[in-house]
Amino acid sequence: MSHSLMSAGEAQSAAARVMARCDALAAISESEEGLTRVYLSPEQVRANARVAEWMQAAGMHTWQDAVGNICGRYEAAEPGAPALLLGSHLDTVRNAGRYDGMLGVLSAIETVQWLHDHQQRLPLAIEIVGFGDEEGTRFGITLLGSRGLTGSWPESWVSHPDGNGITVAQAMQDLGLDAALIPQAAREVSDIVAYLELHIEQGPCLEQDDLALGVVTAINGARRLNCRFVGEAGHAGTVPMTHRKDALAAAAEWMVFVEQATQDQDAQLVATVGTLSCLPGAVNVIPGEVQLSLDVRGPQDEPLERLLSSLLTQAEAIALRRGLSFSANEYYRIAATACDTRLQQALSHAVETVQGRSLALPSGAGHDAIAMAERWPVGMLFVRNHRGISHHPAESVQVADVALGVQAYLQAVCDLARS
């Protein structure tokens, strides 16, 4: 096993600092109870200021960009070289955990801190970004921070209101940002070589494998549909079983098929029926119409499309056999985001160096890397998270896992910058 650059003792202190800083950021919340920090809030201003101080202490030059992301740069051996960009987000959902997003930004700072402490400069600059909005909690639109960097903000976003009717543009003004200058946040493609993101795994795979770290292969694509079976309502006492057009019985048969077929097709595909409503919805009436939702996700678009098409075909067959009609309307779709092969290899090599073996796994949740992948190669490193619980105060990571994470992150950064 080759040796990592950062000693176990150094990794231990780095991880302890990361954990303490996660706690410090968790205290910057709009509510006393729980952690809530949303885009363009006074709490974001305070969190950005703290993170900027930590970046500066690690030898970085810092700035806040036109959409409110906090950015830092650790110069290359030759000033003006392109950068390896490391990042994640500093905003949270309501009543959040303290590691989703924050862990990635603070671990990135530790890789630079090590270089600074050892007075090392790499052939590439290292930049870190703490994105202002990934979750979309306040305005109901997501990835505002990373889409600032990629220059892909739709015109309509600035006039989007929050729950109190304050638009993005007004909220920006309150913080001294100018919506007219948003295009200035966009980075030149040539300025950045690649984007890397360390994040907690929002699932149980690493824990099941008893591993601290894993490397992400792809971020799941998703399709969401509203579906409907229409049969015929009728008296529960007088219509014989053989004459019924029971929409709920059809839906139930299909739901069992959805679960089974998805399991049979591919271990990485998931399908969920999350909502169900029956009309007329009375105990003594045969359900005449059922509306239900379908959410399917997977790390590759083709198998996902195949699964979806087989599920819908089966729904139509069930309806036909029972004398009902079935319809489905897709209202949301996001393509799968593949992680770059070379970045995956560098991360895997680093993970093998620090923990003996690596695990490749897809991400079921969305990340800033989705937006960044439109412009740059992206790679992601996952850190084990207790029981996979996320978006909840019970989020929990172990300091020993974070130590390995920082070690692997530094290793990958140095390998990539030098290759």
Side-chain angles (χ1 to χ4, degrees), residues 45-123:
V45 176
R46 288 169 54 206
N48 279 4
R50 285 305 292 279
V51 170
E53 284 168 20
W54 296 330
M55 287 174 169
Q56 287 155 15
M60 305 185 83
H61 147 70
T62 62
W63 69 97
Q64 182 175 270
D65 72 14
V67 295
N69 300 315
I70 189 69
C71 308
R73 181 176 169 102
Y74 182 75
E75 199 47 77
E78 296 286 320
L84 201 52
L85 179 64
L86 318 181
S88 198
H89 60 98
L90 295 171
D91 70 315
T92 72
V93 295
R94 295 199 179 280
N95 200 26
R98 59 189 58 196
Y99 303 110
D100 177 349
M102 286 71 78
L103 185 71
V105 179
L106 301 174
S107 297
I109 292 174
E110 289 305 324
T111 67
V112 173
Q113 184 75 57
W114 187 90
L115 292 167
H116 179 61
D117 292 346
H118 290 260
Q119 299 180 325
Q120 290 193 23
R121 299 270 169 190
L122 299 171

Side-chain angles (χ1 to χ4, degrees), residues 201-204 207 384-390 394 396:
E201 185 201 357
Q202 289 162 288
E207 198 167 69
R384 169 169 50 189
N385 165 36
H386 181 54
R387 290 179 53 213
I389 294 170
S390 177
S396 167

Side-chain angles (χ1 to χ4, degrees), residues 229-231 241-257 311-326:
F229 284 95
V230 180
M241 295 305 284
T242 50
H243 288 222
R244 297 185 174 202
K245 295 181 178 176
D246 185 329
L248 182 55
E253 183 184 339
W254 185 51
M255 283 164 67
V256 172
F257 176 82
L311 297 182
L312 296 177
T313 304
Q314 182 66 13
E316 281 170 5
I318 290 169
L320 189 67
R321 192 178 72 244
R322 291 171 169 271
L324 287 78
S325 67
F326 172 79

